[in-house]
Amino acid sequence: MHRTKISSKTDNPALNIALDTIKIGKQALVFANTKRSAEKAAEDVSKKVKTESKELVELSEKVLHSLTRATKQCERLSRCIQRGIAFHHAGLTAKQKELIEDNFRKGLIKVICCTPTLAMGIDLPAFRTILKDLRRYGHRGLSYIPVLEYLQMAGRAGRPKFDKYGEAIIVAGTETDKKKLKEMYIDGEPEDIYSKLAVEPVLRTYVLSLIASNFVNTKKEIFDFFSKTFWAFQFADTYELHQIVEKMLQLLEGWGFLKSSKEDFVSAGEVEDEKYRATLLGKRVAELYIDPLTAHDFIECLRKALNKKVPVFSFLHMISSSLELRPLLRVKVKEYDKIQEELVKYDTSLLVKEPNLYDPAYEDFLNSIKTALFFNEWIGEKDEEYLLENFDIRPGEIRVKLNIADWLLYTSEELARILKMQPLLKELIKVRIRVKNGVKEELIPLLKLQQIGRARARRLHFNKIRTIGDVRDADLMKLVQILGKSVALNVKKQVGQDFDRAKVPSGKRKGQLSLEKYNEK
């Protein structure tokens, strides 16, 4: 067995190993069990490293300004990167992750302190993986992670095209812990793999998709298909498996996504079989690749909202109650009273029924309220820093939630179209535009213009330019002062007013700054 002597410069073993890795001219991934722990580990390492370079300063600036307005998280990451250290987790933006991964491959970044998300299929030149803690908080409190997950993280060390061998090091607090961890992970066996078809949302989705695509049509064909799956192999009990599939078929038919009929012709001696086809609604649900239960719940909510005036929050809470948006933002103990106060404001207009206070689902319900409040603040034009401070949601997580919300609201639009709920369509389209762009309703007309997002639209609105007509009537130099020369010319061109760029004055008129001085502000 290869043994490495590592000096103890601090009382933090993970930090000592990371510093030793840099000393021997190698790179490391330090795995932590939470985002905050990953950030703290990166800051601890960066404080002990003296390395600085022009390339690192330039990289830190790119990371800092990857958002319109830098958050405290961006500032912390930027400071770490100046020393060649980074943290990496789901809370970073896609651009920040890309910069970190690319520059780790180039060797500019020496250590990445990360959560296990970086262990999933990313090939990086890490000589060492340092596993700080193999426990994680779950529904049952702090518990050890599966052996399979440990193997994923350990397997990031010594990738074939970068090193001849690698070192995966587990940090143990005591000799007792060392013995236990060795027994569990080094000598332990990986857990069995189970088919995802055993999970109801997955099974519902696949049954509907198979029928909607005409891959199977009769009950016999459906049973035959699932009998050949890995799920059937694991399940072993064919009769019980058929009962589960039968239940799914009945549910989908009850929700209006399938229609069944008896076969027209049956040969002598054969058992009469049922034939299934997807309805127009069922086909669209399958195409949208959404859980049929979510689609059914949305339809029920839309029926409640029909011919009523419901606030935007009701639609935000509707999508926040879906499985697709999990994990929801968790309500902390200190936030409980505040969330209850907010709930009182909207309880009469909610489209999703509030469970009993003592119902196990009540915690998830409160989490859905908090998630809807986050969306409500976003469309109220609150920025990423505010959302981080008040909802503990980071920029990367915000973007993921917004993308899913856009898909769910589009799904709601499609369901309303098929069900001819025309009065709701306009409201749903409006909500979707607002969520996608993070704006109040008054800015929607300006978003039709290319290169105009929430910040520029707000500046135009502040200067009393509030419609496409106002843009057309606005003085070009005023638009230049608000938007900058390039964007102003582009916007004018979009409303049918093409100006020669070279002839647009760059000096100042009476009472105006020159373009050069304006851009310097």
Side-chain angles (χ1 to χ4, degrees), residues 351-369:
L351 301 173
V352 178
K353 187 179 178 182
E354 179 180 354
N356 186 286
L357 183 63
Y358 305 106
D359 193 313
Y362 195 75
E363 184 181 348
D364 279 340
F365 175 76
L366 286 184
N367 292 341
S368 70
I369 293 291

Side-chain angles (χ1 to χ4, degrees), residues 51 57 61 79 84 92 113 122 144 191 201 219 293 327 344 373 375 394 428-429 464 476 484 503:
T51 308
V57 171
E61 284 297 307
R79 285 194 294 270
L92 301 187
C113 300
I122 297 177
Y144 284 100
E191 298 80 10
K219 188 178 286 187
L293 175 61
V344 170
L373 288 168
F375 284 124
R394 292 160 170 77
L428 289 168
I429 291 168
K464 297 183 168 48
L476 176 61
K503 292 182 180 179

